[in-house]
Each structure stands twice: as structure tokens, then as C-alpha cells.
Amino acid sequence: MSNLRIGWIGLGKMGIPMAKNLIEKGFSLVVYNRTKEKSAELVELGAKLADSVAELSAEVNIVISMISDDDALKSTALGDAGVLQNAKPGTIFIDMSTVSPKASAEVAEKADEYDIPYLRAPVSGSTVVAAAALLTIFASGPRKAYETSTPLFEVMGKALFHVGEGEEARYLKLTLNMMVGTTAAMVGEALVFGEKGGMDWNQMIEIIDASVVASPLVNYKTEALKQRDFAPAFTASQMGKDFDLALDTARQNDTPIPLTSQIRQNWSAMKAQGMGEQYFFAYVTLLEKLAGIEQ
Ligand SMILES: NC(=O)c1ccc[n+]([C@@H]2O[C@H](COP(=O)([O-])OP(=O)(O)OC[C@H]3O[C@@H](n4cnc5c(N)ncnc54)[C@H](OP(=O)(O)O)[C@@H]3O)[C@@H](O)[C@H]2O)c1
């Protein structure tokens, strides 16, 4: 474990708590973030700052990225300045972002050419869950690389799975987010309907919480909904991005996903209403507006 030198790319809302957990458990980290200032907290904790992806990749034996989307993954992994070209052969590259199977497969093809074992290891859980090191991590890619990387996953998460050798983890992550986003839409719609009928907000949420329709996700959101606390751990724009990834993938392989398609419209509506950077569970407030409910 002590001979694992880790390069961490992407210090956003998720990257910071995940990288912090590794440092706190004694791993040696080199970090890089496109916006340099966001590295300060990690550098204070002892991480070494790299000036570029290339510099970082040449120095370590495992590179982890936690970045926004397909474009971020492709610009980080590919090209002359990317991870694959600059890492030593045999360096493991783990991308933990939520991206499309298509973009991921492009990276996989290049990784093979450079002899870089490539793991797709997206996560399920919020920023709070990441900080508590309780993420669910599901990886696909070479099993040997997964086994080497397991001590790192154990530091960041509580439930770990190896789900295949190819893009399986990408599909699984989008599957889960389709369900999470659809839950926010379903709960939002039901709450607005109840409000229109004169139900007390808190009591309505308490009863939903105690009923058979409450899932662990609904239970987990209860307090925030009662407080109308929509602090943006994962934004409506980010959920829109994940719905697009699912819709594009489904179009390519002829899978009808009508609910995902319909709910996608309202992530756009939230963006158009200036609510794109709000928490995705603020979906309910969009419907309140449409229903003429004043807060
Ligand atoms: N937030 C959640 O609750 C959550 C949960 C599970 C999974 N995820 C997924 O995890 C990933 C990261 O999410 P996040 O919430 O941490 O996002 P975030 O706060 O928006 O951070 C995004 C990170 O990606 C970097 N980045 C964006 N575009 C880039 C590019 N073209 N080249 C290089 N770096 C780029 C950003 O750098 P700058 O600082 O320079 O902008 C930043 O470090 C996303 O794929 C998201 O869908 C998020």
C-alpha cells in the first residue's frame, strides 16, 4: 500500500472530500485541478501540486480522475498532454466521473494502445456521503487493476463491486441516476399536488416518509425537504447532463426510456428559470411556480 503513489485530477465538490480521505489515511497524493486555487486545501494537508496532467501522470503509479463530463474526460485522458500519453506503461488509470459509455470506450481503446490498465469506477452517493467515506463504488475494467486499487476504494467507500471488464459500470451509474432523478421528479409532483389540496407541508412529508412509498432515498431527503434546504450538492444541470448521457446511449442502442425523456424537459426548464445551479431536489419548486403556489 505504501508504494502506491497516487495522482488525483479534479478537485470539485466530490473530488475534494474523496482526495482528502486518501490523504487522511496516509496515502501520498500528487494533485492537479484545472483551476489551480481549488488545490489549496489539499496542498495544506500535504499533497504535492502538479502544474499539469502530464507532469502528474509521469510521477505516479495510479492516476484517478473525478471530473465533470465526457469533454473533461477526453481532454484529460487523450492527446499529447493527456494521462495516457504521459503515464508510464502499467500505470493504472481510474476515472470515477459520470460519463457516457461511448466516451469511456474511446478512452479504453487508447488505454490499450498505451498499455495502461483502465478502470471505470463511478460512484453513488452525495458530497456528504463522499466526506463520510461511505460511497458505493462500482468498477469495470481489468480485474487485476481493480484488485490493486481496492485499498483506495476501501478508503473512499463502504460498498465495492467489480461489475465487468468493459463499460458495465458506466451503464450502471446512469441506471442509478435515472432512478434518482425520476424520484426527485415524482416526489416533487406529488408534493405540489398535495400542497394544492391544502395539505400541511411538514405533515405531508412525514406521512410520505412513514408510508410504503418511501424509499431509502426519500427517507434520506425528508429533513432537507421539510426545511426546504436545497443547498447544491448535485445540481439540476448535473442531473440534466446525466439524463442526456442516458438518452444518447439509449438512442444508440434502441432502448425506449420515455420517463427519462419526459423528465429531462424539466431539468432544462430549471436551467431556463435560473435554477440550474440549485440542488436537483429543488425540482419541486419549479412545479410550485408552474402551479401558481407562492412561497
Ligand atoms: N456532486 C455529487 O453529488 C456527485 C455524486 C456522484 C457523482 N458525481 C459525478 O462526479 C463528477 C464530479 O462531480 P462534482 O460534483 O465534483 O462536479 P464539480 O464540483 O462541478 O467539479 C468538476 C471538476 O471537473 C473539473 N473539470 C471540468 N471540466 C474540465 C475540463 N474540461 N478539463 C479538466 N477539468 C475539468 C473541474 O475543474 P475546475 O475546478 O477548473 O472547474 C472540477 O475539478 C461528475 O461527473 C458528477 O456527475 C457527482
Side-chain angles (χ1 to χ4, degrees):
M1 192 165 112
S2 57
N3 58 5
L4 291 182
R5 188 155 165 76
I6 300 149
W8 188 283
I9 302 171
L11 295 166
K13 294 189 290 293
M14 291 294 282
I16 287 188
M18 291 165 76
K20 267 172 84 171
N21 283 334
L22 287 173
I23 290 200
E24 276 160 16
K25 285 285 183 249
F27 284 98
S28 151
L29 250 65
V30 182
V31 296
Y32 170 81
N33 194 60
R34 182 181 60 174
T35 308
K36 208 173 178 177
E37 301 78 70
K38 289 199 203 159
S39 318
E41 195 178 343
L42 272 292
V43 171
E44 246 170 58
L45 290 173
K48 182 181 168 205
L49 184 64
D51 275 333
S52 65
V53 167
E55 181 189 315
L56 173 146
S57 307
E59 253 190 64
V60 297
N61 39 29
I62 297 192
V63 176
I64 305 180
S65 56
M66 187 54 167
I67 47 186
S68 300
D69 51 22
D70 284 8
D71 286 346
L73 173 64
K74 288 201 266 181
S75 66
T76 298
L78 308 175
D80 290 350
V83 173
L84 302 179
Q85 168 107 9
N86 292 283
K88 296 179 283 291
T91 303
I92 297 173
F93 176 38
I94 309 173
D95 177 67
M96 305 189 79
S97 323
T98 306
V99 297
S100 69
K102 187 164 178 266
S104 185
E106 278 178 49
V107 171
E109 201 185 321
K110 280 279 165 213
D112 270 352
E113 281 174 30
Y114 286 103
D115 197 17
I116 303 287
Y118 168 54
L119 285 178
R120 306 77 162 158
V123 305
S124 177
S126 63
T127 52
V128 176
V129 173
L134 294 174
L135 291 167
T136 300
I137 302 174
F138 29 92
S140 56
R143 180 171 271 284
K144 189 160 172 278
Y146 174 74
E147 280 162 9
T148 307
S149 312
T150 297
L152 309 183
F153 295 147
E154 280 169 349
V155 168
M156 295 185 272
K158 69 159 195 332
L160 315 178
F161 302 91
H162 183 252
V163 296
E165 299 283 322
E167 301 308 326
E168 293 86 347
R170 302 303 192 187
Y171 278 92
L172 181 58
K173 173 62 195 174
L174 296 179
T175 302
L176 294 179
N177 265 22
M178 285 160 66
M179 295 182 75
V180 171
T182 301
T183 299
M186 175 188 68
V187 169
E189 201 163 301
L191 288 175
V192 170
F193 182 77
E195 273 184 292
K196 261 293 170 82
M199 271 300 302
D200 174 75
W201 178 257
N202 284 339
Q203 190 184 37
M204 178 165 54
I205 293 170
E206 250 165 54
I207 294 170
I208 290 173
D209 203 24
S211 77
V212 291
V213 297
S215 64
L217 175 63
V218 172
N219 291 145
Y220 177 62
K221 299 294 171 196
T222 302
E223 266 325 296
L225 277 169
K226 275 192 187 167
Q227 309 294 327
R228 301 180 71 85
D229 172 6
F230 300 120
F234 187 74
T235 65
S237 295
Q238 285 181 303
M239 190 56 90
K241 181 259 301 184
D242 289 358
F243 270 50
D244 284 343
L245 297 178
L247 287 163
D248 286 347
T249 306
R251 205 166 24 247
Q252 284 153 28
N253 63 18
D254 292 326
T255 310
I257 49 171
L259 285 176
T260 307
S261 175
Q262 195 176 354
I263 292 164
R264 172 68 183 93
Q265 304 305 314
N266 277 341
W267 306 125
S268 285
M270 286 182 76
K271 285 173 80 175
Q273 294 291 322
M275 300 163 72
E277 295 313 300
Q278 291 186 16
Y279 192 43
F280 71 99
F281 256 85
Y283 187 103
V284 62
T285 65
L286 172 78
L287 296 191
E288 282 175 339
K289 266 194 202 176
L290 296 178
I293 296 173
E294 303 259 338
Q295 281 306 321

